[in-house]
Amino acid sequence: MKYETVIGLEVHAQALTKTKIFCGCSTEFGASPNSHVCPVCLGLPGVLPVLNRDVVALGIRAGIATHCKIAPYSRFARKNYFYPDLPKGYQVSMFELPLTEHGYVEIFTESEKGGKKIGLTRIHMEEDAGKNVHDGIEEGSLVDLNRAGVPLLEIVSEPEISSGEEAVAYLKALRAILIYAGVSDADMEKGNFRCDANISIRPVGSSKLGTRSEIKNMNSFRFVQKAIAYEVLRQEEILEEGGRVIQETRLWNEKKGMTFSMRSKEQAHDYRYFPEPDLVPINIDEAWIARVSSELPELPDAKRKRFIETYALPDYDATILVSSQALADFFEAAVSLYPKAKMVSNWVMGDLLRELNQENLAIEDAPIKPKQLAAMLKLIEDGTISGKIAKTVFEEMVKTGKDAAQIIKEKGLTQVSDEGALGKIVDTVIAANPKEVTAYRGGKKKLMGFFIGQMMRQTGGKANPGKVNAILKEKLDQSE
Ligand code: ADP
Ligand code: MG
Ligand code: ZN
């Protein structure tokens, strides 16, 4: 039987505030354990939470940026469960009245080049739990509550994602939106952007959802893709053997390359949700929404469209260039100085990203500035260097931060375009290869490539290819 994959993702993104969601403790990462705590986030009796207004503002931003409707009236709810790192015995989250609902994130993949909208069910605010620490401890475990009460936005998608590739595209698009909008730094290594993947399969053509398994807490695109691939195969095998998939929570084990069952999946009613009595409901008026909306910068979708229209770039280029604001800014700054957009795009997407990758640098820390790239492109255009030599020059630019002109001078890489000089070298090449010359003149025109290769060898790759071609043709055809 043929199956199709159905995926819904829940993302937890840490909202970019200085202090926690219900108390004044710092959210700074990496502090010594239990140094950012107070009676509120420790869950001590007799204290009351106070909502951090900035979290609401960031939630509204996230909602607007993902085309959601902001609820005029929403409220927190208690989600009751026991964990050693959850001292209150419940998590303050939102349930029946979330902050914002019914949005979408548009993705572009190889199979969905025209774009596919993945529906967002909701975005709500909640507090993070602490962290159990097991590593390096001989006996038992310890609890670090610095993270308890750190503000999270939970972003829940509709089950409309059809493959691992789409899941990764969705996560990348969502992450870029949150970073652009200043909602979250979405730093995956710090756990500030992590994802639960709900995965099911069903016979192709069926409209009923299959039973899902949920893979918890992944903070790498690669893991998400691998875990989905594994899970789809596992479920297919179960169904093929006539079995039934059970609803459960699983964990991805990167070392083993497999998912493992963690617990059978609880249902919403198991949590005994009820409205949080210690916090007042949240009223959001149009004026607040308008104010937040006016503070938002141009977002990836809009920028992508503008890049395609203004610079006549292919979809593919635009999608990559807007994947980070800094990359898009680099591109636009370079284009403003060297207005051949596709050429600039090729160098930024290809050579620049590759070199930065190799040096393990983010675009923000690129050793070269857009104007240096533009200057190098002008040197190709005016014939000072060939496109081929430019690759070497550019590599050196990214390594050293030096200007192209300086590197060309230091290494003597200027292109040889002088026709007299090139003509002399052509003569020696012709004299040194009589057999090939005869064959060429006898009709083996393909040998042109061989002669060009010889010329490049003689000149250390510096010969102007256009000129070489013309002179070779002229001299070889001369005495035919
Ligand atoms: P919970 O909070 O218990 O995980 P939700 O109802 O909020 O449950 O659903 C969580 C996610 O699971 C959503 O992203 C939703 O799209 C997805 N989902 C629900 N049912 C399925 C299914 N049968 N297959 C795949 N994804 C599903
Ligand atoms: Mg879930
Ligand atoms: Zn606190």
Side-chain angles (χ1 to χ4, degrees), residues 224-288:
V224 170
Q225 185 138 18
K226 287 202 274 185
I228 288 171
Y230 177 85
E231 198 51 29
V232 168
L233 279 179
R234 190 186 68 87
Q235 294 186 13
E236 275 176 6
E237 260 174 39
I238 293 175
L239 295 190
E240 283 300 302
E241 284 165 8
R244 277 179 39 206
V245 175
I246 47 171
Q247 184 163 323
E248 62 183 349
T249 299
R250 301 178 70 87
L251 285 182
W252 171 247
N253 182 316
E254 173 62 14
K255 274 212 193 84
K256 300 217 166 78
M258 297 165 78
T259 63
F260 287 93
S261 179
M262 179 181 163
R263 56 170 189 255
S264 72
K265 171 80 187 163
E266 60 290 323
Q267 305 284 329
H269 61 248
D270 295 330
Y271 290 122
R272 288 289 179 261
Y273 277 106
F274 63 84
E276 168 59 60
D278 288 346
L279 288 159
V280 292
I282 304 155
N283 288 299
I284 297 169
D285 58 15
E286 286 301 323
W288 194 3

Side-chain angles (χ1 to χ4, degrees), residues 20 22-26 36-42 145 148-149:
K20 293 186 180 179
F22 302 125
C23 62
C25 291
S26 167
H36 291 167
V37 292
C38 73
V40 172
C41 55
L42 285 174
L145 291 171

